[in-house]
Amino acid sequence: MRPSKGSGLWADGSETARQQHDSVDVRISFVRYEMSKMVFDVDFRNNTSRALSVGPTDFYIQPLVTQPVASTVATPYMPGRMTAFDPEVQIQELASRVAEESAAATHVGTNEVLTSLSHVVDDLASLKKKETKEQERARETKQKEENDYFTQQRLEAAAAADQHRAQLEELRSGALRHNTVEPGQRLRGYVAFPRVDKADLIRISAPGMAGGTTLDFIQIRTVH
């Protein structure tokens, strides 16, 4: 993925597309592909004399097929204009997961309480009857396996909470989020769009640009 027209600017090793209109300067570079997303780095600079409201859903793509395909291959269907993903949705989902998993990592549930009580009952019962060494080992092994199961459940919940917490912090700090950009200020962050592998041109519309002004990226088309 690269800009169709180079600007001579680079950001973190990626060539940058740039458009300027009415003192608004927009610079976009491709970052990476994810499972179902294309991620771009957006640098929005407000050089006007007025405050501008900017958010990720103000950015759109129009995937296009501009190059001919082989006669044996049907022309891929291209969707219409698509807006960028709103990171606030994923942020809320991750925050909920972190809270749930953190609680599961420390909470002692009803099943675990009942299991612990059953262990006490079994231990008391063992005092009233003469257990063989084999029976004693079997009881202790069973209790240890049950205790280990609940411990493992808590460890897995804690690990999941840590993983989702890291994703949450990365999203909060890295994603472009809705904000008011004052005169002379800039807003920078990642913007993600739905992935469209069969397009050979990704046309991005940005806020503050004149109608029809886009930032175009060439993509190597894949046909399945």
Side-chain angles (χ1 to χ4, degrees):
M1 182 88 75
R2 62 178 176 81
S4 61
K5 295 180 181 179
S7 63
L9 300 172
W10 293 75
D12 299 327
S14 297
E15 193 173 7
T16 300
R18 181 184 186 185
Q19 286 287 1
Q20 300 178 83
H21 174 72
D22 193 23
S23 298
V24 172
D25 186 347
V26 180
R27 310 177 188 196
I28 299 180
S29 58
F30 175 71
V31 178
R32 65 178 180 270
Y33 289 104
E34 294 182 355
M35 187 67 68
S36 60
K37 298 178 181 179
M38 302 178 292
V39 181
F40 293 83
D41 182 2
V42 171
D43 186 349
F44 183 95
R45 305 183 183 205
N46 179 14
N47 298 318
T48 72
S49 59
R50 64 190 187 281
L52 299 174
S53 179
V54 179
T57 54
D58 296 321
F59 292 81
Y60 299 86
I61 62 168
Q62 176 64 64
L64 299 170
V65 174
T66 63
Q67 299 298 318
V69 298
S71 58
T72 56
V73 178
T75 301
Y77 165 77
M78 287 295 105
R81 192 173 75 157
M82 296 184 291
T83 186
F85 289 103
D86 184 355
E88 303 305 328
V89 176
Q90 189 176 1
I91 286 172
Q92 291 177 8
E93 291 176 351
L94 286 171
S96 295
R97 285 188 181 183
V98 169
E100 291 171 0
E101 290 154 354
S102 297
T106 57
H107 178 65
V108 178
T110 302
N111 287 342
E112 186 173 2
V113 172
L114 293 176
T115 300
S116 297
L117 289 175
S118 71
H119 292 172
V120 173
V121 172
D122 290 342
D123 291 342
L124 291 174
S126 70
L127 299 175
K128 297 180 180 180
K129 64 181 181 180
K130 190 174 182 179
E131 283 185 334
T132 65
K133 288 294 183 182
E134 183 177 349
Q135 290 172 326
E136 181 181 357
R137 283 195 296 270
R139 174 173 53 81
E140 291 175 347
T141 298
K142 175 176 175 293
Q143 291 178 355
K144 182 179 183 304
E145 289 176 347
E146 291 174 342
N147 289 333
D148 288 348
Y149 168 78
F150 291 113
T151 299
Q152 183 62 31
Q153 292 292 100
R154 282 194 291 271
L155 290 174
E156 290 177 358
D162 287 342
Q163 179 182 1
H164 287 128
R165 188 178 291 108
Q167 293 174 346
L168 177 60
E169 292 307 313
E170 181 181 3
L171 198 59
R172 281 174 170 167
S173 62
L176 188 143
R177 303 174 70 180
H178 190 275
N179 213 326
T180 298
V181 187
E182 299 292 340
Q185 292 186 346
R186 63 193 288 206
L187 181 64
R188 185 179 180 185
Y190 292 150
V191 172
F193 298 98
R195 184 167 170 170
V196 187
D197 291 346
K198 294 182 180 181
D200 58 50
L201 186 69
I202 302 298
R203 178 158 287 167
I204 302 178
S205 300
M209 296 292 100
T213 303
T214 59
L215 299 98
D216 295 349
F217 285 79
I218 296 172
Q219 174 176 244
I220 299 176
R221 186 174 59 214
T222 58
V223 179
H224 302 288

